[in-house]
Short mmCIF file of all heavy atoms in Angstrom, two decimals:
data_model
loop_
_atom_site.label_atom_id
_atom_site.label_comp_id
_atom_site.label_asym_id
_atom_site.label_seq_id
_atom_site.Cartn_x
_atom_site.Cartn_y
_atom_site.Cartn_z
N ILE A 606 51.25 -71.59 53.96
CA ILE A 606 51.38 -71.79 55.41
C ILE A 606 50.49 -70.79 56.14
O ILE A 606 50.46 -69.60 55.80
CB ILE A 606 52.86 -71.60 55.83
CG1 ILE A 606 53.72 -72.71 55.18
CG2 ILE A 606 53.02 -71.63 57.36
CD1 ILE A 606 55.19 -72.60 55.44
N GLY A 607 49.76 -71.27 57.13
CA GLY A 607 48.91 -70.38 57.93
C GLY A 607 49.32 -70.39 59.39
O GLY A 607 50.16 -71.20 59.80
N PHE A 608 48.75 -69.50 60.14
CA PHE A 608 48.94 -69.45 61.59
C PHE A 608 47.60 -69.74 62.25
O PHE A 608 46.54 -69.48 61.67
CB PHE A 608 49.42 -68.05 62.02
CG PHE A 608 50.91 -67.91 62.01
CD1 PHE A 608 51.62 -67.96 60.83
CD2 PHE A 608 51.61 -67.71 63.20
CE1 PHE A 608 53.00 -67.85 60.82
CE2 PHE A 608 52.99 -67.59 63.21
CZ PHE A 608 53.69 -67.65 62.01
N ALA A 609 47.63 -70.27 63.46
CA ALA A 609 46.40 -70.41 64.23
C ALA A 609 46.62 -69.74 65.58
O ALA A 609 47.48 -70.17 66.36
CB ALA A 609 46.06 -71.88 64.43
N ALA A 610 45.90 -68.65 65.79
CA ALA A 610 45.99 -67.94 67.07
C ALA A 610 44.86 -68.46 67.94
O ALA A 610 43.69 -68.25 67.61
CB ALA A 610 45.85 -66.44 66.83
N GLU A 611 45.18 -69.14 69.04
CA GLU A 611 44.14 -69.77 69.85
C GLU A 611 44.28 -69.38 71.33
O GLU A 611 45.38 -69.08 71.80
CB GLU A 611 44.23 -71.31 69.75
CG GLU A 611 44.23 -71.86 68.34
CD GLU A 611 42.92 -71.62 67.59
OE1 GLU A 611 41.90 -71.32 68.23
OE2 GLU A 611 42.93 -71.71 66.35
N THR A 612 43.17 -69.44 72.03
CA THR A 612 43.21 -69.24 73.48
C THR A 612 42.81 -70.52 74.22
O THR A 612 42.91 -70.61 75.43
CB THR A 612 42.26 -68.10 73.90
OG1 THR A 612 40.96 -68.40 73.39
CG2 THR A 612 42.72 -66.75 73.38
N GLU A 613 42.29 -71.52 73.48
CA GLU A 613 41.92 -72.81 74.09
C GLU A 613 42.00 -73.90 73.03
O GLU A 613 42.00 -73.61 71.83
CB GLU A 613 40.51 -72.75 74.68
CG GLU A 613 39.48 -72.35 73.64
CD GLU A 613 38.07 -72.28 74.17
OE1 GLU A 613 37.83 -72.66 75.32
OE2 GLU A 613 37.20 -71.85 73.40
N ASN A 614 42.08 -75.15 73.46
CA ASN A 614 42.15 -76.31 72.55
C ASN A 614 43.10 -76.06 71.37
O ASN A 614 42.73 -76.23 70.20
CB ASN A 614 40.76 -76.66 72.00
CG ASN A 614 39.78 -76.95 73.12
OD1 ASN A 614 40.19 -77.41 74.19
ND2 ASN A 614 38.51 -76.65 72.90
N LEU A 615 44.30 -75.62 71.71
CA LEU A 615 45.26 -75.14 70.70
C LEU A 615 45.43 -76.11 69.53
O LEU A 615 45.20 -75.74 68.37
CB LEU A 615 46.63 -74.91 71.41
CG LEU A 615 47.78 -74.47 70.52
CD1 LEU A 615 47.53 -73.09 69.96
CD2 LEU A 615 49.09 -74.46 71.31
N LEU A 616 45.81 -77.35 69.82
CA LEU A 616 46.17 -78.26 68.73
C LEU A 616 44.95 -78.74 67.96
O LEU A 616 44.97 -78.84 66.72
CB LEU A 616 47.00 -79.43 69.25
CG LEU A 616 48.34 -78.99 69.89
CD1 LEU A 616 49.18 -80.20 70.28
CD2 LEU A 616 49.14 -78.07 68.98
N ASP A 617 43.83 -78.99 68.66
CA ASP A 617 42.60 -79.42 67.98
C ASP A 617 42.13 -78.35 67.00
O ASP A 617 41.83 -78.63 65.84
CB ASP A 617 41.48 -79.63 69.00
CG ASP A 617 41.59 -81.00 69.63
OD1 ASP A 617 42.50 -81.75 69.22
OD2 ASP A 617 40.77 -81.31 70.54
N ASN A 618 42.07 -77.12 67.50
CA ASN A 618 41.60 -76.01 66.65
C ASN A 618 42.54 -75.80 65.47
O ASN A 618 42.10 -75.55 64.34
CB ASN A 618 41.47 -74.72 67.46
CG ASN A 618 40.24 -74.72 68.34
OD1 ASN A 618 39.29 -75.46 68.07
ND2 ASN A 618 40.25 -73.93 69.40
N ALA A 619 43.85 -75.89 65.75
CA ALA A 619 44.83 -75.67 64.67
C ALA A 619 44.68 -76.75 63.59
O ALA A 619 44.72 -76.45 62.40
CB ALA A 619 46.25 -75.67 65.24
N ARG A 620 44.49 -78.02 64.02
CA ARG A 620 44.33 -79.11 63.04
C ARG A 620 43.11 -78.87 62.16
O ARG A 620 43.15 -79.12 60.95
CB ARG A 620 44.15 -80.46 63.76
CG ARG A 620 45.43 -81.02 64.24
CD ARG A 620 45.57 -82.54 64.03
NE ARG A 620 46.94 -82.89 64.30
CZ ARG A 620 47.93 -82.77 63.43
NH1 ARG A 620 47.70 -82.35 62.20
NH2 ARG A 620 49.17 -83.07 63.76
N LYS A 621 42.01 -78.38 62.79
CA LYS A 621 40.78 -78.11 62.00
C LYS A 621 41.07 -77.04 60.94
O LYS A 621 40.65 -77.16 59.79
CB LYS A 621 39.66 -77.64 62.92
CG LYS A 621 39.03 -78.79 63.68
CD LYS A 621 37.87 -78.32 64.55
CE LYS A 621 37.49 -79.44 65.53
NZ LYS A 621 37.10 -78.94 66.84
N LYS A 622 41.82 -76.01 61.32
CA LYS A 622 42.12 -74.92 60.37
C LYS A 622 43.04 -75.43 59.26
O LYS A 622 42.89 -75.06 58.09
CB LYS A 622 42.77 -73.74 61.10
CG LYS A 622 41.78 -72.94 61.93
CD LYS A 622 42.43 -71.79 62.67
CE LYS A 622 41.44 -71.23 63.68
NZ LYS A 622 42.03 -70.23 64.59
N LEU A 623 44.01 -76.26 59.64
CA LEU A 623 44.96 -76.84 58.66
C LEU A 623 44.17 -77.54 57.55
O LEU A 623 44.46 -77.35 56.36
CB LEU A 623 45.87 -77.82 59.41
CG LEU A 623 46.91 -78.61 58.65
CD1 LEU A 623 48.01 -77.70 58.15
CD2 LEU A 623 47.54 -79.70 59.55
N ALA A 624 43.16 -78.33 57.95
CA ALA A 624 42.37 -79.09 56.97
C ALA A 624 41.41 -78.17 56.22
O ALA A 624 41.36 -78.19 54.98
CB ALA A 624 41.61 -80.21 57.68
N ALA A 625 40.68 -77.32 56.97
CA ALA A 625 39.63 -76.50 56.33
C ALA A 625 40.22 -75.52 55.32
O ALA A 625 39.57 -75.18 54.33
CB ALA A 625 38.86 -75.73 57.41
N LYS A 626 41.46 -75.08 55.55
CA LYS A 626 42.04 -74.06 54.67
C LYS A 626 43.01 -74.68 53.66
O LYS A 626 43.67 -73.96 52.92
CB LYS A 626 42.74 -72.99 55.52
CG LYS A 626 41.75 -72.25 56.45
CD LYS A 626 42.41 -71.19 57.30
CE LYS A 626 41.49 -70.71 58.40
NZ LYS A 626 41.21 -69.27 58.35
N GLY A 627 43.12 -76.01 53.66
CA GLY A 627 43.96 -76.69 52.66
C GLY A 627 45.42 -76.31 52.74
O GLY A 627 46.07 -76.11 51.71
N LEU A 628 45.95 -76.20 53.97
CA LEU A 628 47.33 -75.70 54.13
C LEU A 628 48.36 -76.82 54.07
O LEU A 628 48.04 -77.99 54.34
CB LEU A 628 47.45 -74.99 55.49
CG LEU A 628 46.46 -73.86 55.73
CD1 LEU A 628 46.57 -73.35 57.16
CD2 LEU A 628 46.70 -72.73 54.74
N ASP A 629 49.60 -76.44 53.77
CA ASP A 629 50.72 -77.40 53.80
C ASP A 629 51.34 -77.47 55.19
O ASP A 629 52.02 -78.43 55.52
CB ASP A 629 51.79 -76.98 52.78
CG ASP A 629 51.20 -76.98 51.39
OD1 ASP A 629 50.74 -78.05 50.96
OD2 ASP A 629 51.16 -75.92 50.76
N MET A 630 51.13 -76.44 55.98
CA MET A 630 51.62 -76.43 57.37
C MET A 630 50.90 -75.31 58.12
O MET A 630 50.53 -74.30 57.52
CB MET A 630 53.14 -76.17 57.39
CG MET A 630 53.79 -76.30 58.75
SD MET A 630 55.59 -76.00 58.67
CE MET A 630 55.68 -74.28 59.14
N ILE A 631 50.68 -75.53 59.42
CA ILE A 631 50.11 -74.46 60.23
C ILE A 631 50.97 -74.26 61.47
O ILE A 631 51.56 -75.21 61.99
CB ILE A 631 48.61 -74.72 60.58
CG1 ILE A 631 47.93 -73.43 61.04
CG2 ILE A 631 48.47 -75.83 61.63
CD1 ILE A 631 46.41 -73.45 60.93
N VAL A 632 51.07 -73.00 61.89
CA VAL A 632 51.86 -72.66 63.08
C VAL A 632 50.86 -72.30 64.18
O VAL A 632 50.19 -71.28 64.08
CB VAL A 632 52.78 -71.45 62.78
CG1 VAL A 632 53.66 -71.12 63.99
CG2 VAL A 632 53.61 -71.69 61.53
N ALA A 633 50.75 -73.19 65.18
CA ALA A 633 49.76 -72.96 66.23
C ALA A 633 50.41 -72.22 67.39
O ALA A 633 51.47 -72.63 67.86
CB ALA A 633 49.22 -74.31 66.72
N ASN A 634 49.81 -71.13 67.80
CA ASN A 634 50.35 -70.47 68.98
C ASN A 634 49.25 -70.00 69.93
O ASN A 634 48.18 -69.58 69.51
CB ASN A 634 51.34 -69.35 68.63
CG ASN A 634 50.71 -68.09 68.15
OD1 ASN A 634 50.04 -68.09 67.14
ND2 ASN A 634 50.91 -67.01 68.87
N ASP A 635 49.56 -70.16 71.21
CA ASP A 635 48.61 -69.86 72.27
C ASP A 635 48.74 -68.39 72.64
O ASP A 635 49.70 -68.00 73.31
CB ASP A 635 48.95 -70.77 73.47
CG ASP A 635 48.03 -70.53 74.65
OD1 ASP A 635 47.27 -69.55 74.63
OD2 ASP A 635 48.09 -71.33 75.61
N VAL A 636 47.78 -67.58 72.17
CA VAL A 636 47.91 -66.14 72.37
C VAL A 636 47.45 -65.68 73.75
O VAL A 636 47.47 -64.50 74.06
CB VAL A 636 47.16 -65.34 71.27
CG1 VAL A 636 47.89 -65.43 69.95
CG2 VAL A 636 45.72 -65.80 71.13
N SER A 637 47.03 -66.65 74.59
CA SER A 637 46.62 -66.24 75.94
C SER A 637 47.82 -66.19 76.88
O SER A 637 47.74 -65.65 77.98
CB SER A 637 45.55 -67.19 76.50
OG SER A 637 46.09 -68.48 76.66
N ARG A 638 48.98 -66.75 76.46
CA ARG A 638 50.18 -66.72 77.31
C ARG A 638 50.79 -65.33 77.31
O ARG A 638 50.88 -64.68 76.26
CB ARG A 638 51.24 -67.70 76.76
CG ARG A 638 50.97 -69.14 77.11
CD ARG A 638 51.94 -70.05 76.40
NE ARG A 638 53.34 -69.83 76.78
CZ ARG A 638 54.30 -70.72 76.57
NH1 ARG A 638 54.02 -71.88 75.99
NH2 ARG A 638 55.54 -70.46 76.92
#
Side-chain angles (χ1 to χ4, degrees):
I606 296 177
F608 270 66
E611 307 294 343
T612 55
E613 56 180 353
N614 303 331
L615 177 66
L616 299 185
D617 278 357
N618 284 338
R620 281 221 169 278
K621 282 183 194 143
K622 286 179 191 172
L623 178 69
K626 298 180 192 239
L628 304 174
D629 299 300
M630 187 179 97
I631 197 159
V632 183
N634 76 298
D635 179 350
V636 288
S637 65
R638 281 173 63 161

